[in-house]
Amino acid sequence: MASRVTLPTPPASELFMPSKPKLKITALAGGVGASKLLLGLYAEMDPSLLTIIVNTGDDIVLHGLKISPDLDIVTYTLAGIVDASKGWGFRGETFHALKRLAVYGRPNWFNLGDRDLATHIHRNALLSEGKTLSQAADSIRTALGVKSRVLPMSDNSVPTIIDSNEGPLHFQEYLVKRRAEPVVKKIRFAGVESARPAPGVLEAIRDADRILICPSNPLISIGPILAVPGIREELRANREKVFAVCPIVGGKSLKGPSDKMLAQLGHDSSALGVAKLYADFTGTFVIDPADKSQSAAISALGMKVAVLPTVMKTLAQKRNLPCALLSLSLPLFM
Ligand code: FO1
């Protein structure tokens, strides 16, 4: 029977763990929305026990180069080189190459920095030599000193297409070029029916002690991962181990246009609305104290509810949530 668990927020000093927990964690992640939590986990656990399964629906080909924004955002964040104010790209980046590309009449709405371009050139060189996207992602994270495994959801191309009031748009055109202004009518993951999970993805879910769904956009960050045949089924089979952190607090997105997109597609823009999308594969749904009043309705969906501060602005908040997610013992939620 589902039960509600309200956890007091211990001061950060009490959450510092004497030794790092030896739990194998597998996280499902988009880009910017997931990064703060991933960085906290990376610091608070043995990072070699962390595997991150990343959305690649955002991938796009520009200037003949395959760009994988979420893989790069996660990798740059954990490598400590991301531009923290934007959440993507390199810190201290320059854009000389992009300006030169514009001289040739090439589109420059997607801000590819000079340092970032080296990543895309390297990835493309590997792909053209016959390597897979997984192998390219592993080469990049290893070279940048990231100790956790970073897996694309699939080695197959599965672009997220937004059917909007302006017609079909690639997700990056919708988000970056059109600044999420078009009205979303439908979201498609092109070719997903024949896509396969990347090597290691299903095993990472199966073998994990705990599976975390990061506070990423449920529709266009977590949604594409769940749509790859086999992944949602594997999560369902391991439901008791799945902890999903809600990306909506007080009806608003922690990051990006999740709230607007949920509403435009007829979902509730609330913790309960997200819980309904995750109920079939989530054991414990983590909500912020601001949404405590929705606990009973979420429990009624068959999930346990943990109430934890999910907004991560201060240093203490950035440590508290990952520490709490690592130290919650499963029996507490039975
Ligand atoms: N987001 C923007 O809002 N504007 C950009 O020009 C932009 C460029 C960019 C370049 C490389 C990269 O890895 C990410 C980039 N992003 C940019 C972020 C990205 O498009 C989205 O935040 C993610 O796809 C959503 O997770």
Side-chain angles (χ1 to χ4, degrees), residues 101-153:
L101 286 165
V103 170
Y104 299 124
R106 304 213 62 90
N108 63 353
W109 54 267
F110 198 74
N111 291 290
L112 293 171
D114 298 327
R115 292 169 180 80
D116 196 24
L117 273 167
T119 306
H120 309 311
I121 292 168
H122 176 58
R123 177 186 294 113
N124 276 264
L126 292 174
L127 294 174
S128 64
E129 287 159 16
K131 299 277 196 303
T132 61
L133 184 61
S134 306
Q135 289 169 322
D138 202 56
S139 167
I140 294 164
R141 72 96 182 171
T142 307
L144 296 179
V146 173
K147 297 189 186 83
S148 303
R149 281 199 307 163
V150 179
L151 306 179
M153 63 189 201

Side-chain angles (χ1 to χ4, degrees), residues 31-32 58 69-70 72-73 88 109-112 116 172 175-176:
V32 182
D58 292 13
D70 286 358
D72 293 344
I73 289 167
W88 50 267
W109 54 267
F110 198 74
N111 291 290
L112 293 171
D116 196 24
Q172 298 295 352
L175 183 78
V176 177

